[in-house]
Structures are given as structure tokens and as C-alpha cells.
Amino acid sequence: MRRRWGLSWRSTGRPDDAPFVCAGRRDNAMRLTALDAEAEAIGLKCGQGLAEARAMCPNVIVVEEDQAADRRFLEALADWCDRFTPLVALEGRDGLFLDITGCAHLFGGEAKLLEEIRARLTQMGLEVRGVISGSPGLSSAVARFDGSRIIDDEARESVLAPLPVAALRIEESVVQSLRKVGLKQVGDLLEAPRAPLARRFGPHLLLRLDQATGADEEAISPRRAVAALSAERKLAEPIQAEEDILGLAEQVAEALKPSLEARGAGGRVFELVLFRVDGKVFRIGAGASRPLRDAGRIARLFAERLKALHDDLEAGFGFEILRLNVLRDEPFETLQGDFTGDDRKHLSLSDFVDQVSARLGPDCLQTYQLRESHIPERAVLAMPALDHVTERRRMPEAAPLAMPAVQERPLRLFSHPEPLETFAVEVPEGPPIRFRWRRLTHKVLRAEGPERLAAEWWLDGETAPTRDYFRLESESGQRFWVYRQGLYDQLASPRWFMHGIFA
């Protein structure tokens, strides 16, 4: 309907058009899953067969349901609601929970907050019901089966009593069972003895009842983690230019600096949230290789991210709210500069890693960390440089890993050893005399070894074969690192592999 009539159709009035319904397959039949007010007025109902609906209203407009698209749209609305509170959770297939504790006064009170949310969503072409109460269960029940209002704690039971039992968010089979015994409204459950209800309908019914009345607290699980620190700017005039976005981001980052200093911390992972005028929300993440407080360096991170997202970031009519979140912070170490006060030489590596990672992604630069393993391909682990530049700068001060004495290793080590074919081998533990690798035959002039490495039985199993490594030099002067997998007294024909190449 928004695409057909425009986003503001609820403000200008519904055009003279046929009723709208959505239909989907239920129990091997096409049934109505959603319908507008005009369809309800002519007697159509959710769950009704599509053929029956067409018989009642031949000109009804039927749209096939798309549950994945509905979910994406609901998540987009949840992102839009972040402007009111960071604690937003999804409720079913068409609802949202907003925990507005401590937020209502920023919008002039609960009544004005609810009015603003409903008014703005109505302008976006949506029909919205909103309820503010002390318990999520009560808000959900009243919003779905009554209307929009603000409920005081003293009036919980009186508001809840006339609602149908389906308002308690219980299974349809339980609802039907309750109706068969004459328990049709929530008030009937409030007056009934609890023990017989629990024995006949299960404890979940009483849990939902207590959550609705506030006797049992219900936690709201927000869909996004709450930022450690956050600052935002609401703009009287929307902005579109990239320079304006970066300039405002630097101002907001400067506003975060006192809070970071009070914590003795700096930000490692940041998120820039841009709220567009039409409701679309853009989230741009950026990481730093070391804790940051400097607003200019934080803004430069997002300058690189905006260059990378140039085609995907559509400003439209502009952004009305800009928010900067610190998703991860770490203790901040103050660096002593030289006599001129210039410490840029200490920051050059961090700046390079930050800017390249922001432009090309966190995995474009990698560093290696030692691991306690004598198997060559497991002795080092590639990690994003963005997360380990700080640790590498501290390595001279930290105790190195206690690594056993090892022999010479090749300059190039293959991540996956390549099989080779041997023609003559000194049995039982000697090196090959000739071998073929990558379609070329090599004659060995000199050999060193073997260097025997036992398998890691706790990872590979107790039957994993032993490796004998050899350093070989061919007639052409090439030097190879090969190994035999298994011993001749263990296997009839052990296999040979090329694992690396020396200079």
C-alpha cells in the first residue's frame, strides 16, 4: 500500500481502491494472513480461505506474503526506533518492545514520546498502536487487543481483565482449551484458583499471567548490544555532503573525549549511525589498532569507510541524526613525545593499519602469532593486524613463548603440503635421490636429515603417522624442505610431501 499510494497516504486519506489482503499457504491451502481496514469492513478474516474471500469480494487485491521481507522491514523499524532508546527488541512478527526507562524525559515525557512515535510512523504510511506500561506483557496485550494508551501500575488488572485470553501470548491450543471450559477473558483467569489452572493447562499459562500483571518480571533482550559510550547530534537541517558528515562526526567524537578520559580508556571499535529523513538507518563500523581518543583520528577512520561505501551510502533527502557509539574500549596508554612534542613516528604504523583496514576491510593486513606447537603449519596463526599491532609493540616487554630449539626452516612454507613422486630412496630412513614435483624431475646432490616430528595425538589421534623432514639441494641449486609421512616399519609405502622452499 505504501508503494501503491505513497508513504503519506494515511495523512492524505485512503484513495478509492479495492480492499487489500495478503495470502499465504497454510495447511496446504491458500489463506488470508493479513488484511487492511476495508477488507475487515466487508467481513474478511485472517485464516479465511482465499477462494472464499474472492467469492465474497471479487475485486479484492491479493498480494502473496513474504515473511522474509516482513522480517527485514520489522528490523528496519527497530533500527529507526534506536533514536528513542538503544534497548529495542523484536516482539513476534509485527511488534517491537522499547525499554524507555530513563529516556522519556528527553522527549518531554511519556505522553509526548508515544505521540511522536505514532505520529511519525503514521506519516510513513503505517498503522501503529503503542502502549506504555510497567510490564512488557501488559503493553503487548493492550496494544494488540485494545488500543494506544498509558497505563498506571494501579490500573493493570482492571485494564487486563476484559481482554481475551489470547492476549496473554499463549499457544492457540491452550486458548481453545480455555474457551471450552468457559474461561474466555483474562479476568476469568484472575479470579480462578491457580493450582487447578497449573495442573490442567501447565505452568506456562500462569507465567504469562504473572508477566502481564507485573507479578513476575520479564526481561527485554535488545537485538543489539548497548554501546559502552554514545553521543549524538540532532540537526535542524538535514545534511548530505560527505564533508559535513565527517565534520559533524569529529565534533561528536570530541564530545566523547571527556567520558573516555574519565574511564581512563580509549575506543577500539566505533560505530557511526546515520538516521535518514525517510527512516532508513545506516550503520558504519570502524576499528582502530590502538585505543583512540583523538577526534581527528576517529573522523579519519570514517573518512576511509565512507570512501569504501561511496556507492552504497545514499543520502537521499539527508540525515537528521548522527550518532557515534564506542562499542569496545580498552585502557589508554599515554605516549611520551620527543622534546618538540611530536610523537608521530610512534603512531605511523597504527595510522597506516587503521586507514588501510578501514578502506579495504579488517582482513586485508595480517600479522602472525606464535603458537605452542611443533607441527610447522600449526606453529603460527594469521590474525588481522588491526587487532594485534598494539600487542606487537609490547612484545619486547613481555616474556616470549618458551619455544624449543628448532632447526632451519624454509623461507616459504606451504599452508597445504603438496604430494611429490620419489624414484629412489635410501631405505629405511634416508632421503630421496630423485623426485618429481609440479611436472619437473629433480636430482638431489645434497641432503640433511632426518628431523623427526611426532604427531599431536590429542588432535590427530593416536594412529597419526610420524614425519621425517629433509633439507634437499638439487642440481640446479634449488633447496627444498620435504618430509616422509610415516615410517617403513609402520607403512608399506609411506607418502612424500613438499612442505616448503628455501631461498
Side-chain angles (χ1 to χ4, degrees), residues 325-340:
N325 296 327
V326 180
L327 301 182
R328 175 183 164 195
D329 62 273
E330 292 182 0
F332 186 84
E333 295 183 1
T334 304
L335 297 179
Q336 176 65 47
D338 55 21
F339 289 107
T340 63

Side-chain angles (χ1 to χ4, degrees), residues 183-492:
L183 301 175
K184 299 180 180 180
Q185 297 180 335
V186 179
D188 300 332
L189 300 178
L190 294 174
E191 299 174 357
R194 295 175 62 89
L197 289 177
R199 286 195 301 268
R200 184 163 184 176
F201 302 104
H204 186 69
L205 173 63
L206 296 183
L207 174 62
R208 288 303 195 188
L209 183 62
D210 291 340
Q211 288 175 346
T213 58
D216 192 341
E217 292 189 5
E218 180 181 359
I220 294 179
S221 299
R223 54 190 295 269
R224 296 185 181 274
V226 180
L229 292 172
S230 180
E232 70 177 25
R233 289 288 187 275
K234 294 183 178 180
L235 307 175
E237 293 291 335
I239 59 175
Q240 296 176 320
E242 181 177 317
E243 296 77 8
D244 296 336
I245 295 174
L246 294 176
L248 190 58
E250 185 172 356
Q251 296 179 21
V252 177
E254 190 68 33
L256 282 174
K257 188 174 182 180
S259 300
L260 290 171
E261 291 177 345
R263 289 185 171 210
R268 284 291 302 274
V269 180
F270 300 89
E271 182 184 49
L272 184 66
V273 187
L274 302 173
F275 295 84
R276 207 165 66 181
V277 173
D278 62 353
K280 188 173 179 59
V281 180
F282 294 89
R283 297 181 181 273
I284 306 172
S289 59
R290 59 189 302 273
L292 294 183
R293 291 179 184 170
D294 183 72
R297 293 192 64 193
I298 296 174
R300 285 196 295 273
L301 293 180
F302 289 104
E304 298 297 334
R305 293 293 295 131
L306 290 178
K307 291 178 182 178
L309 299 173
H310 180 72
D311 295 334
D312 297 330
L313 186 65
E314 300 179 0
F317 291 104
F319 302 103
E320 59 180 347
I321 299 178
L322 184 146
R323 178 184 299 165
L324 182 62
N325 296 327
V326 180
L327 301 182
R328 175 183 164 195
D329 62 273
E330 292 182 0
F332 186 84
E333 295 183 1
T334 304
L335 297 179
Q336 176 65 47
D338 55 21
F339 289 107
T340 63
D342 185 13
D343 60 350
R344 292 297 302 172
K345 61 182 181 181
H346 301 290
L347 303 178
S348 58
L349 177 60
S350 298
D351 278 337
F352 172 75
V353 172
D354 293 347
Q355 293 181 13
V356 173
S357 299
R359 183 69 177 272
L360 303 177
D363 296 329
C364 65
L365 296 177
Q366 300 211 342
T367 184
Y368 293 93
Q369 283 193 327
L370 294 177
R371 298 181 63 188
E372 294 183 350
S373 175
H374 60 271
I375 303 299
E377 62 267 25
R378 297 175 182 169
V380 292
L381 181 65
M383 303 291 291
L386 187 66
D387 297 331
H388 294 279
V389 168
T390 305
E391 286 75 3
R392 289 178 63 86
R393 293 178 65 251
R394 298 175 182 172
M395 281 184 66
E397 304 175 2
L401 291 175
M403 300 295 293
V406 295
Q407 301 187 35
E408 184 181 0
R409 291 291 182 258
L411 182 65
R412 180 184 178 189
L413 186 71
F414 299 150
S415 57
H416 300 285
E418 301 180 6
L420 53 86
E421 181 182 0
T422 59
F423 297 111
V425 179
E426 297 180 8
V427 180
E429 297 182 353
I433 299 175
R434 296 173 62 221
F435 65 90
R436 180 187 296 273
W437 175 60
R438 292 185 177 178
R439 299 182 180 180
L440 294 179
T441 302
H442 301 269
K443 183 178 180 180
V444 178
L445 292 183
R446 298 178 181 84
E448 294 179 354
E451 177 189 352
R452 183 159 295 176
L453 298 180
E456 295 178 340
W457 57 266
W458 55 94
L459 296 177
D460 303 322
E462 297 182 357
T463 60
T466 303
R467 296 181 182 181
D468 277 355
Y469 279 87
F470 296 88
R471 292 183 294 278
L472 308 179
E473 183 177 342
S474 67
E475 287 182 324
S476 60
Q478 295 176 289
R479 299 179 65 207
F480 306 99
W481 202 43
V482 304
Y483 71 88
R484 182 185 64 242
Q485 189 173 36
L487 306 178
Y488 282 98
D489 57 354
Q490 297 175 347
L491 301 174

Side-chain angles (χ1 to χ4, degrees), residues 156-167:
R156 288 181 179 178
E157 293 190 3
S158 61
V159 173
L160 192 61
L163 300 182
V165 292

Side-chain angles (χ1 to χ4, degrees), residues 70-101:
D70 290 343
R71 186 73 174 186
R72 291 194 299 268
F73 184 66
L74 186 62
E75 291 177 349
L77 289 178
D79 285 336
W80 180 84
C81 289
D82 278 353
R83 65 182 64 208
F84 302 106
T85 173
L87 303 176
V88 181
L90 303 182
E91 160 61 9
R93 57 188 295 267
D94 59 354
L96 296 174
F97 276 144
L98 278 67
D99 189 344
I100 61 171
T101 304

Side-chain angles (χ1 to χ4, degrees), residues 66-178:
D66 188 343
Q67 296 184 10
D70 290 343
R71 186 73 174 186
R72 291 194 299 268
F73 184 66
L74 186 62
E75 291 177 349
L77 289 178
D79 285 336
W80 180 84
C81 289
D82 278 353
R83 65 182 64 208
F84 302 106
T85 173
L87 303 176
V88 181
L90 303 182
E91 160 61 9
R93 57 188 295 267
D94 59 354
L96 296 174
F97 276 144
L98 278 67
D99 189 344
I100 61 171
T101 304
C103 302
H105 69 281
L106 301 175
F107 303 90
E110 294 179 349
K112 291 186 177 181
L113 173 60
L114 181 58
E115 180 182 358
E116 180 178 353
I117 293 176
R118 293 189 60 208
R120 299 196 62 170
L121 290 179
T122 301
Q123 293 175 359
M124 294 165 59
L126 304 176
E127 180 183 359
V128 183
R129 295 179 183 177
V131 174
I132 297 178
S133 72
S135 63
L138 179 58
S139 296
S140 175
V142 177
R144 296 180 185 279
F145 291 89
D146 192 356
S148 301
R149 64 171 73 180
I150 299 176
I151 303 173
D152 296 331
D153 292 343
E154 296 79 8
R156 288 181 179 178
E157 293 190 3
S158 61
V159 173
L160 192 61
L163 300 182
V165 292
L168 296 178
R169 299 174 296 166
I170 54 180
E171 297 179 358
E172 182 63 26
S173 59
V174 179
V175 173
Q176 297 299 332
S177 299
L178 290 171

